[in-house]
Amino acid sequence: MIKLELVFSVLVFVVWVYTLIEVLSTPGTTMRMLPKPAWVVVVLLFPLLGSAAWFVLGRPEGRRPTGAYERSAPAYPEYDRPGRAAATDPERDEEFLRQVRARAEEQRKRHELERRRREAGEA
């Protein structure tokens, strides 16, 4: 019987700590029902009920907000995963793409020149 109580106590403690960390790390503007300080007090004073209330009533709905370097609306489904980096400065992005195109064109020209040399050497 004591082992069951110990397991239950440890489980409640783990859920309580997880909930407290989640309440503290969630932006206050996305919380439902109560302001952030009130949720912290509720979870601190009532570990089991406060945690349950947070998951049912206070936790933000839907997907988590995107980070500063994540795409908000991906153009392709394969890019729709959390943490995917996205360009934040369109001018720098265009400059990078220009450099990539120039390098690719230079490689194409070298390859074509090399191919012509091989063909001339074989003939």
Side-chain angles (χ1 to χ4, degrees):
M1 189 69 173
I2 292 181
K3 288 183 182 181
L4 187 60
E5 291 174 358
L6 181 64
V7 169
F8 181 72
S9 299
V10 169
L11 184 64
V12 168
F13 179 73
V14 168
V15 170
W16 177 69
V17 169
Y18 175 79
T19 305
L20 190 58
I21 290 170
E22 189 170 287
V23 168
L24 292 173
S25 64
T26 302
T29 57
T30 62
M31 292 181 175
R32 297 182 297 152
M33 302 293 280
L34 297 173
K36 188 173 193 167
W39 277 117
V40 171
V41 169
V42 167
V43 171
L44 280 174
L45 293 180
F46 308 103
L48 191 56
L49 288 174
S51 296
W54 166 254
F55 287 109
V56 174
L57 301 173
R59 194 175 198 193
E61 291 179 338
R63 290 180 49 156
R64 66 174 179 76
T66 56
Y69 298 104
E70 291 180 315
R71 298 177 187 276
S72 57
Y76 303 100
E78 63 268 19
Y79 295 135
D80 189 14
R81 63 177 196 262
R84 175 89 180 162
T88 57
D89 184 6
E91 291 176 12
R92 290 181 64 196
D93 191 38
E94 284 301 318
E95 176 61 29
F96 172 75
L97 291 175
R98 268 194 295 278
Q99 291 173 356
V100 168
R101 289 183 194 112
R103 266 193 318 242
E105 188 60 34
E106 181 182 323
Q107 289 173 354
R108 276 190 220 106
K109 287 179 183 178
R110 271 190 299 191
H111 177 72
E112 184 64 27
L113 184 61
E114 198 63 36
R115 188 181 62 78
R116 286 181 185 166
R117 285 183 188 159
R118 271 188 267 133
E119 286 177 357
E122 292 174 4

